[in-house]
Amino acid sequence: EGLVGQAAMEQKMIVFEKAPSDFILIRSGMGEASEQFVVVMPLVHEKVVAGVIEMASTSPLDPVKLKLLDTVAEGMAISLQGI
């Protein structure tokens, strides 16, 4: 199950830096770029995984941004579990 399965099983965020150039390609109407940074974030509330989000970036995420993602993840899990 790869990084998504690992993040769900461990219930911990995985930050993957310097990904291979063919790992994920970011595309938009203005062009495309190979990302180098991947964050795989499980959405967990009360030890129940509601989902996993995988994000890619062309620049590293600083500790403040990673903390924000971690904080928002529980709220997203609560919302998903309420559906």
Side-chain angles (χ1 to χ4, degrees), residues 46-62:
E46 295 181 347
K47 298 185 180 182
V48 175
V49 177
V52 178
I53 294 178
E54 184 177 23
M55 295 176 278
S57 175
T58 56
S59 59
L61 296 174
D62 62 57

Side-chain angles (χ1 to χ4, degrees), residues 27-75:
R27 292 186 181 144
S28 76
M30 299 183 67
E32 59 185 45
S34 296
E35 53 60 48
Q36 292 202 355
F37 305 92
V38 177
V39 176
V40 185
M41 181 176 64
L43 306 177
V44 181
H45 176 63
E46 295 181 347
K47 298 185 180 182
V48 175
V49 177
V52 178
I53 294 178
E54 184 177 23
M55 295 176 278
S57 175
T58 56
S59 59
L61 296 174
D62 62 57
V64 173
K65 291 176 184 172
L66 291 173
K67 178 65 178 164
L68 175 64
L69 289 174
D70 195 43
T71 301
V72 171
E74 184 174 13

Side-chain angles (χ1 to χ4, degrees), residues 1-9:
E1 296 189 21
L3 293 174
V4 171
Q6 181 181 346
M9 185 177 67

